[in-house]
Amino acid sequence: MNTERAGRFVEDAYRLAELGWALIRLDGKIPKGKDWQHTEPLSDPHQAAGMWAEWGKRWNMGVVLGPSRLCVIEYDRDEAEPVLLDLLGGDWPTTPTVRTGSGRRHLYFEVPPNGVSKAARDGLELRLGAHQCVVPPSEHPDRGIPYVWELEPWSTPLLTVPADALAVFAAAPDELRERLRVDPDAKIQAGQRRDQVFRLACSLVARGVPRDAILTAARAFNETRCEPPLEDAQVVDQVDGAVGRYEPATALAGTSEVYTPAKVKSVAGGAGVISHPSLSSQSATWPDALDADAYHGLVGEIVQTLEPHTEADPVAILSQTLVAYGNAVGRTPYALVEGDRHYLNLYACLVGDTAKARKGTSWGRARAIVSTADPEWECRIKSGLSSGEGLIAQVAKGEESEESDESLDPRLLVVESEFVSALKVAGRDGNTLSAIIRAAWDTGSLRTLTRHSPLEAEGAHVSIIGHITAEELRRYLDATETANGFANRFLWLCVRRSKLLPEGGSLPPADVERYGARMREAIAFARRCGQIQRSPQTRELWASEYERLSAGESGLVGALLARSEAQVLRLSLLYALLDRAKLVQPEHLRAALALWRYSERSVRFLFGDSTGNPDADVILRALRENRESGLTRTEISSLFGRHASAARIGRALDLLHEKTLAATPETETTGGRPVERWRAAQ
C-alpha cells in the first residue's frame, strides 16, 4: 500500500513542480525540517518526483505559499460559503480547489503584489507568505480521509485573489495583518518563464486582445521580466498555445494599440493575471454524429439507458464501456492475423474541454456497470503513467506470486484523466514509456534490458483510457515520430457535453444491477472462447472495406490512422463477444466500422491540415495569419529566430506546396535580388 501511495505522490509532485510550487514534507500537518518557510521551487520536476518516490510512503505533502506565489482562502462549505460568495461579488471563481480531509475547501489564487499574510474573518481564513497548505493526495492525520483536487491546478488556471476580498481580510484584527512584501518587478527565473508568459497571454486573450498585440506584449514582458529572456520562438509558442486554447471574451479584431511594458502591467497585473474564459467546444467542422450502427447490442442498450441520466457524450460512454469490457475479459479470446494474435485490449483517448466535456462523468458510468459485473477487476484499474518500468511493475510476477493471486493477474486498465502528462513523458529522451505501451498493445510481452534490475512481464493484458483537451493534444502530439511511437495504437474520439441537467443525473441502481448481470454473462462467455473468426458473410464485407482501410496517407493524420485494420478487427471482436457470439457477424463489423469512422473524423477535425512536419506547420499557421500580404523568405526565416537553414525552410515550403496548402510563390522585382513571396492556398 505504501508503494501505491508513493506512486500517487510522485505523479502529483512532478506536476506541481512543473507549475513552480515549492513542496515540503509534512508530519500530518506539521512541516518537517528547518527553515521550511524558505523552501524554493525545484527547477527540475524529475527531482521532485524522485524525492517523493520515498517521502510519499510516509509523509504528507505541503506547498509553501510565499515562494510559490500562491494565496489560499480556506472556508467551510456549509457555514462560510455564502459569506465568501458575497465577498467574491456573487460569482464563484473557477480556480484550483481542494476538498480537505475534514471536509473544508481550499481555493488557490495567484498572489497579489501586496496582501495580508494570514487573516481570519467570518469563518474564513486567508493564507499566503510564510505559510503552508496541505495538498493532495495527503491524508488528514486524525481522520485518515484523503485531500482531493476538485479542480486541479495543472488543468485549471490560477485566478488572482479579488481585491475586494483582500480588503475585507485586511480589516481583520491588527495581530493578523502582517504584510507580505512581494516585488512586482522581481525577475522570473528559469523554470517559471514559459508558464508566466503563457499566463499573461491567456489573460490578454480573455480580454479580447488580438494575437499580434498579445505577441507584442509577451515579447516586452519577456525582455523586461524574464531572467534570462526566453528565445523568441518559445514566446511565440506560448502565445499560440494560449490563443488556441481560450475563446476571447470580447472581439477587438483590428485594433492597432501597441502594448508597451507599462501597458502590459496595467492590463495583466505584471505577472500575468488569469481569468478563466470557457473553452470553445463549438466548431462548424465538429465530427458528424456517430453512426447508429455503433450502438449495436448490449453496449448500445447501455448507452441508450444511460443517455437521459447524464450530460456525458454517448461516444464517451460507448467507447469506455468497450475498453473496460475488453480488459475485464482478459487474454483468452483472440483473432489470428498472419500468425499474430489480436486480443481485446484497446487504447482510447477522449478529446474535449477540461470540465465541460464530462469525460470523467462518462467514465464513472461505464466503470459502475463493468465493476458490478466483475468486482475483482476493480482493483486492476490504476493511473499514473510515468515510465515503462512502472507500467511493467503493475503486471510483472513478483517474488510473492505463488502466494498472491493478485500479483498474477495480467489485466491492467490505466485511466489517465490528464493524458497530457503521458504525452510529455513519452516524448522525453530515454524514457521507455512509448516502447512499452507499443509492446503492450502488440504482444503483451514487456521487458526492459537494464543492467542491474531488468523487468519482464509475459502475457500482460493492458488497456488505456485517456482524457485530454484538444489544445493539449495539438500542442504535445506535434510530430509524426510521436504518432508512430504509440499514438496510432489509440482511438482518438472527440467528445462534448450532450445536454444540460441542472439537477444532475441519477441512474436507478436496478438498471446498474441489470446491465451488470448481463455484462457478467458476456464476460463469462468470452473467457470460454479461444480463437474468434469471421462468418462467410462477414468475410465478404471485410473484403469490400479492406482496401479503404489499408490505404495510407501522409502527414500526422496518416500516422494517427495507420492501424485502422487492426483497430476495426479488435472492435469487431468486442461487439461479437458482447453478443455472446463465437463468429463475427456483419452487424458486429458494421458497428466496429462506425466507431472507427468517427475516430477518423475526430482525427481529421483535430489535425486536418497538420503535415507531421513541425516546421511546415509553423509556416502554414503564419501564412494563414498573413493571408493578404503573404510572407517573404526573410519573414519566414524570422519565425524561427533566423536559426533555421535555408534548406530546412525550403523542404517545409516544398511540402506545403505539394499538399496544396501553400500557393505557388510569387516573384517580386526589387532594386536588388528578386523576392519570393509565399501565401496560403485559398
Side-chain angles (χ1 to χ4, degrees):
M1 181 60 70
N2 283 345
T3 301
E4 182 177 339
R5 167 188 162 99
R8 296 196 300 270
F9 275 97
V10 167
E11 179 181 1
D12 280 17
Y14 183 93
R15 289 172 167 174
L16 296 178
E18 273 196 316
L19 297 175
W21 290 25
L23 304 176
I24 57 171
R25 290 178 295 164
L26 302 176
D27 185 359
K29 296 184 179 180
I30 308 300
K32 300 292 293 181
K34 298 180 180 179
D35 296 326
W36 60 266
Q37 299 94 331
H38 304 293
T39 301
E40 291 295 326
L42 294 172
S43 59
D44 183 2
H46 290 94
Q47 185 179 356
M51 294 163 63
W52 281 97
E54 292 299 324
W55 291 353
K57 297 176 183 178
R58 177 179 179 185
W59 309 106
N60 275 341
M61 187 190 320
V63 56
V64 186
L65 302 177
S68 305
R69 301 186 62 80
L70 294 171
C71 167
V72 170
I73 295 179
E74 180 178 353
Y75 69 97
D76 183 275
R77 190 168 190 177
D78 296 325
E79 299 176 5
E81 187 173 276
V83 179
L84 179 56
L85 190 60
D86 182 63
L87 286 180
L88 299 174
D91 293 326
W92 198 255
T94 306
T95 197
T97 305
V98 167
R99 182 178 73 247
T100 73
S102 60
R104 293 169 69 85
R105 296 297 192 279
H106 289 167
L107 291 176
Y108 280 76
F109 295 92
E110 188 173 44
V111 72
N114 291 289
V116 292
S117 178
K118 185 175 182 181
R121 187 175 182 86
D122 299 320
L124 305 171
E125 182 177 301
L126 180 142
R127 305 180 198 171
L128 42 75
H131 295 276
Q132 58 86 17
C133 270
V134 184
V135 295
S138 303
E139 296 179 353
H140 192 282
D142 300 323
R143 304 174 186 232
I145 299 174
Y147 287 62
V148 177
W149 287 111
E150 293 186 340
L151 291 175
E152 299 164 327
W154 43 85
S155 59
T156 305
L158 284 163
L159 301 177
T160 294
V161 63
D164 290 346
L166 277 181
V168 172
F169 280 110
D174 290 341
E175 64 270 19
L176 298 177
R177 286 193 286 128
E178 302 173 10
R179 292 290 177 179
L180 174 71
R181 295 178 175 83
V182 177
D183 180 5
D185 294 317
K187 295 294 184 181
I188 301 169
Q189 305 298 319
Q192 301 183 39
R193 297 170 298 169
R194 282 184 290 183
D195 179 62
Q196 293 295 336
V197 171
F198 180 71
R199 293 184 179 191
L200 168 63
C202 289
S203 69
L204 296 178
V205 173
R207 289 158 175 78
V209 179
R211 178 189 178 279
D212 289 346
I214 295 173
L215 185 55
T216 300
R219 283 169 170 158
F221 178 85
N222 179 49
E223 291 297 326
T224 58
R225 294 292 307 279
C226 296
E227 183 64 42
L230 295 166
E231 293 183 3
D232 188 67
Q234 294 175 302
V235 176
V236 172
D237 182 57
Q238 299 306 312
V239 169
D240 286 342
V243 171
R245 177 169 185 172
Y246 293 102
E247 179 181 12
T250 307
L252 294 179
T255 181
S256 59
E257 184 170 8
V258 176
Y259 284 78
T260 63
K263 182 67 174 176
V264 170
K265 281 189 180 181
S266 66
V267 173
V273 180
I274 293 295
S275 65
H276 191 68
S278 63
L279 295 174
S280 174
S281 63
Q282 304 299 323
S283 169
T285 57
W286 183 267
D288 291 339
L290 182 62
D291 297 340
D293 285 342
Y295 298 108
H296 170 81
L298 175 58
V299 69
E301 292 182 41
I302 290 172
V303 173
Q304 185 177 9
T305 303
L306 285 172
E307 198 273 335
H309 302 282
T310 179
E311 294 182 345
D313 194 315
V315 172
I317 301 172
L318 176 80
S319 58
Q320 291 177 119
T321 303
L322 287 171
V323 174
Y325 168 73
N327 189 260
V329 168
R331 211 167 181 82
T332 306
Y334 65 91
L336 200 61
V337 180
E338 295 187 3
D340 295 329
R341 293 190 176 191
H342 284 263
Y343 295 92
L344 303 185
N345 56 312
L346 284 180
Y347 299 166
C349 191
L350 307 184
V351 187
D353 294 352
T354 301
K356 303 301 183 185
R358 298 298 187 262
K359 300 186 291 292
T361 301
S362 64
W363 166 235
R365 298 298 197 185
R367 179 175 185 166
I369 290 175
V370 182
S371 295
T372 300
D374 185 359
E376 294 182 358
W377 166 78
E378 176 78 15
C379 69
R380 302 306 299 151
I381 303 173
K382 308 289 183 181
S383 62
L385 282 175
S386 58
S387 68
E389 292 81 359
L391 194 154
I392 294 175
Q394 291 291 337
V395 290
K397 294 182 180 180
E399 295 177 358
E400 302 176 359
S401 60
E402 295 182 0
E403 302 176 9
S404 172
D405 291 337
E406 182 178 344
S407 64
L408 292 173
D409 193 334
R411 299 175 300 173
L412 175 66
L413 174 57
V414 182
V415 179
E416 291 296 331
S417 60
E418 293 296 331
F419 192 68
V420 65
S421 298
L423 284 182
K424 292 178 182 178
V425 169
R428 294 181 187 137
D429 291 339
N431 191 281
T432 60
L433 182 60
S434 175
I436 298 303
I437 283 178
R438 291 166 60 187
W441 195 92
D442 294 345
T443 66
S445 297
L446 315 180
R447 57 180 53 82
T448 57
L449 301 178
T450 53
R451 178 177 178 182
H452 297 293
S453 55
L455 288 172
E456 183 174 352
E458 290 293 337
H461 191 68
V462 178
S463 308
I464 300 176
I465 291 174
H467 299 164
I468 196 170
T469 68
E471 186 276 332
E472 290 170 337
L473 180 61
R474 292 186 183 110
R475 187 174 183 185
Y476 291 101
L477 191 64
D478 59 355
T480 305
E481 290 78 7
T482 305
N484 287 336
F486 70 92
N488 57 25
R489 269 87 173 170
F490 282 80
L491 295 168
W492 301 97
L493 302 164
C494 288
V495 298
R496 55 186 174 185
R497 182 158 58 182
S498 62
K499 66 181 73 66
L500 295 175
L501 296 176
E503 302 299 326
S506 178
L507 183 67
D511 285 334
V512 176
E513 290 294 332
R514 176 163 57 92
Y515 284 114
R518 292 180 60 186
M519 183 71 71
R520 186 180 307 117
E521 294 173 356
I523 291 173
F525 172 85
R527 288 174 179 167
R528 295 192 297 269
C529 297
Q531 183 179 354
I532 307 297
Q533 297 179 325
R534 301 185 182 99
S535 70
Q537 298 89 342
T538 309
R539 287 199 293 271
E540 292 180 8
L541 177 59
W542 176 254
S544 68
E545 295 284 344
Y546 189 73
E547 182 177 357
R548 190 189 73 84
L549 291 172
S550 302
E553 57 184 284
S554 60
L556 190 55
V557 169
L560 288 168
L561 301 178
R563 297 185 179 273
S564 55
E565 309 100 299
Q567 297 282 15
V568 171
L569 169 62
R570 294 192 182 195
L571 286 169
S572 67
L573 296 180
L574 289 166
Y575 278 107
L577 291 168
L578 280 165
D579 269 359
R580 289 182 280 171
K582 291 186 177 181
L583 290 177
V584 177
Q585 300 296 342
E587 58 268 25
H588 304 139
L589 180 54
R590 282 193 289 268
L593 287 167
L595 184 53
W596 173 251
R597 285 166 183 157
Y598 184 83
S599 180
E600 284 184 329
R601 295 196 292 272
S602 296
V603 168
R604 296 186 194 283
F605 166 73
L606 293 164
F607 298 102
D609 287 336
S610 178
T611 64
N613 181 313
D615 295 339
D617 291 339
V618 168
I619 295 171
L620 179 60
R621 184 167 59 240
L623 291 176
R624 287 175 171 170
E625 290 171 356
N626 298 273
R627 190 175 292 275
E628 294 299 323
S629 62
L631 295 174
T632 66
R633 284 269 191 160
T634 301
E635 290 168 333
I636 291 172
S637 179
S638 297
L639 297 174
F640 303 94
R642 299 185 181 274
H643 296 309
S645 67
R648 173 178 155 190
I649 292 175
R651 286 192 295 271
L653 289 171
D654 288 344
L655 179 60
L656 293 175
H657 187 255
E658 176 188 336
K659 290 180 169 293
T660 67
L661 296 172
T664 301
E666 304 166 4
T667 301
E668 300 176 355
T669 303
T670 66
R673 180 181 301 177
V675 172
E676 190 177 79
R677 186 172 296 276
W678 287 78
R679 287 185 169 85
Q682 296 298 325

